[in-house]
Amino acid sequence: MKTSDTLISTLREVPAEAVIASHQLMLRAGFIRKLGNGLYTYLPIGLRALRKVEQIIREEMDAIGALEFKPTVVVPGELWRESGRWETMGDAMLRITNRAGQELVVSPTAEEAFTALIRDELSSYRQLPIVAYQINTKYRDEIRPRYGVMRGREFMMKDAYSFSADQQSLDEIYGRFAAAYRRIFKRCGLTVIPVRADTGAMGGTGSEEFMVESEIGDNTLILCPSCGYAANDEKASCAPDTPLAADGGAQKPTDKPYEPMDTPDVKTIEELSSFLQTSPQSFIKTLIYKVYNSELDLTNAPGCAALTRVTETGGAAPYYPESFFAVCIRGDLDVNETKLAAALKASAVELASDYDVERITTAPVGFAGPVSLANAPVLADRTVFDMHDAVTGGLAKDVHFVHVEPGRDFTPFITADVRTVRAGDRCPNCGASFYSRKGNELGHIFKLGYKYTKAMHVYYLDENGKQQIPIMGCYGIGVDRSLASIIEEHHDENGIIWPMSVAPYQVCIVPVKYEGAMKETACSLYTALQNSHVEVLLDDRAERPGVKFKDMDLLGIPIRITVGEKHLPNVEIKLRSQKEPQLVPAEQAVQTVLALIAEESARYDAV
Ligand code: ATP
Ligand code: MG
């Protein structure tokens, strides 16, 4: 490609709206342009890089036997009603109504579309397993799209779905994806940290997220320096630690009955600690949560008699659109809302409003506690059961209960691990002290189970002619986010430094002036490289050499051939990643370039 035949739209200034390197560089290099909030157009050179990433993903999917499909992006809303997600997906899902009044969804993900497809195609166990994928447009109405294509509204995703006869087959396919993902990221030049992940209300049994370390990452990764344990903090657990009493020793059980104590104007844990001269570890902190779409059975739960329970016709589990829980945890710890939502089989949780807190605790905000609480079920974090002689809110203004023994003085409706694990907490496997990092999710694989195949009535006949339901796995990668992350990992102050495997062009030729012998040499190298199937960009613009060098550095083309009068018949060959060029006779340039391409490509070969 000659630069005059494509569109080079580089910017000298850093666009004000871009704060991270990849966003700045993608705009400056003219790879993307913003069309609207969270909506980006790829320009031709940017699109070449995106297609490279896509192609690597496609090759690795094909290599593990996944079959590529091309479903529509717009999907009938009724499929989402069948799965039960019409109600639970929330505002991130873009819904539209066509002229016939039909409800449609612009795919935020495609479990429903693929499950419906397989339902129609599947009849016999002989067809299983089926592993299907697409690389296609997704739309999510992100509240705050940011960092360019890192979190856009419209983006490309590779999403795959597997259908198996049994768990063993699912495990085997999951393993293939786990390996394929490692190869994909290696080939893209991405350093990823695979971590255990939350499976949320999905009820999955295995899940791994592929993270890149990033200061602007939305995820907190909990990492063990010793045994390699790595988990998203939405999932991380830690070894139990002994709660301490005020004297620094272990807490001891008490025989004293619990009793109210006046605590005038004392509300926060800090105020209470100094008032009672004890440690925050002696308090049972109680938070009232509003819980959405819980699939727990709350028939016999305190305060839940009047709740509405919805049973969908589709076969999805019955759920409570809204319920309230009192969540108890040791005073020095925090509740992780993702772990909490998973424990409650809920789609989301949020702290209840003051109004609801006062209604449920029959007291002003600040005096919630689990003892004799009648208006909401109690969820106790595991840490609570290691506590003794504890203090809790007394369900009345300015009152706390002291000498509270968990188990004796209250019985939770449910006990679960909902604490936020932090750096410094101990690894459950080896006891070493965790450290943490911010991370961005590039891919996610998980064993989904029967959620969709059950709800949407997918059946096949087994060897004995008996009707069975297949088990699913699902596997996603964000293509644009991966591309942006490659730039995050491979750039310097002058621009992008593409790994050879994903570079929009492998080589650029920059004649110092596009005239005379320089032009002649540049053009013959251009033709020769094209004949050798090298992806080459020839800068034939009438710009000053400095401008052309700057642009090619910004674009990040891995190999540059400079053709200058003073060196002819030699040309300069330079790697974008290195400072010094080598001088090579023009007639050997193709050979040198081919060797460099092979060498550079090999760095990103997956083993
Ligand atoms: P996040 O937590 O970042 O919102 P997610 O868990 O909702 O992501 P998945 O549903 O697992 O994402 O989607 C699979 C992949 O799609 C993600 O790993 C990510 O790479 C990509 N992705 C998700 N949302 C976006 C977005 N708004 N912009 C770009 N890529 C996205
Ligand atoms: Mg995810």
Side-chain angles (χ1 to χ4, degrees), residues 344-604:
L344 295 172
K345 298 193 170 175
S347 62
V349 298
E350 66 183 17
L351 283 172
S353 65
D354 288 0
Y355 171 82
D356 285 320
V357 172
E358 288 169 15
R359 181 177 58 78
I360 287 165
T361 63
T362 64
V365 173
F367 301 97
V371 177
S372 69
L373 179 71
N375 299 332
V378 170
L379 179 147
D381 180 67
R382 297 232 164 84
T383 50
V384 169
F385 284 89
D386 295 326
M387 298 174 65
H388 293 291
D389 203 357
V391 182
T392 74
L395 302 181
K397 183 167 171 18
D398 296 341
V399 176
H400 281 83
F401 291 142
V402 294
H403 307 311
V404 173
E405 282 292 313
R408 182 191 71 179
D409 299 329
F410 68 94
T411 311
F413 178 70
I414 165 175
T415 304
D417 169 18
V418 296
R419 83 188 260 185
T420 299
V421 175
R422 300 197 190 87
D425 289 337
R426 303 206 164 272
C427 174
N429 293 345
C430 73
S433 183
F434 282 139
Y435 67 102
S436 91
R437 291 282 181 273
K438 288 275 171 217
N440 242 332
E441 179 194 318
L442 300 188
H444 191 176
I445 58 178
F446 70 97
K447 299 179 187 172
L448 202 45
Y450 295 96
K451 181 180 161 89
Y452 297 95
T453 44
K454 255 191 192 151
M456 295 178 70
H457 305 292
V458 184
Y459 300 112
Y460 66 93
L461 296 178
D462 68 13
E463 299 90 317
N464 305 314
K466 217 173 140 236
Q467 212 175 48
Q468 303 286 1
I469 299 174
I471 186 168
M472 274 178 83
C474 88
Y475 320 87
I477 292 185
V479 184
D480 318 68
R481 192 180 287 180
S482 294
L483 183 73
S485 301
I486 295 169
I487 298 174
E488 291 291 327
E489 194 168 335
H490 300 271
H491 71 271
D492 63 12
E493 65 282 6
N494 298 320
I496 303 166
I497 308 172
W498 289 111
M500 189 60 78
S501 54
V502 289
Y505 292 96
Q506 298 166 310
V507 179
C508 61
I509 303 172
V510 182
V512 170
K513 277 199 172 145
Y514 196 57
E515 60 186 37
M518 287 180 281
K519 177 176 174 179
E520 224 168 82
T521 306
C523 285
S524 75
L525 280 175
Y526 178 63
T527 310
L529 285 169
Q530 279 191 321
N531 291 340
S532 302
H533 307 291
V534 172
E535 297 167 298
V536 54
L537 188 63
L538 170 60
D539 199 340
D540 61 350
R541 294 175 298 170
E543 292 283 358
R544 281 181 292 115
V547 170
K548 294 194 273 194
F549 293 150
K550 269 211 160 66
D551 276 351
M552 292 304 133
D553 278 358
L554 182 56
L555 256 50
I557 313 300
I559 298 173
R560 187 177 80 200
I561 307 175
T562 307
V563 186
E565 200 142 45
K566 72 171 178 196
H567 290 308
L568 279 176
N570 294 323
V571 296
E572 285 181 342
I573 297 180
K574 190 183 96 65
L575 283 175
R576 172 66 179 84
S577 56
Q578 288 173 2
K579 283 242 159 338
E580 294 308 318
Q582 49 173 314
L583 266 188
V584 176
E587 66 266 25
Q588 280 172 33
V590 172
Q591 209 184 323
T592 306
V593 163
L594 289 177
L596 276 175
I597 291 175
E599 200 176 300
E600 285 298 304
S601 301
R603 291 152 63 97
Y604 303 103

Side-chain angles (χ1 to χ4, degrees), residues 105-106 235 253 488 499 512:
V105 167
V106 184
K235 174 77 179 177
E488 291 291 327
V512 170

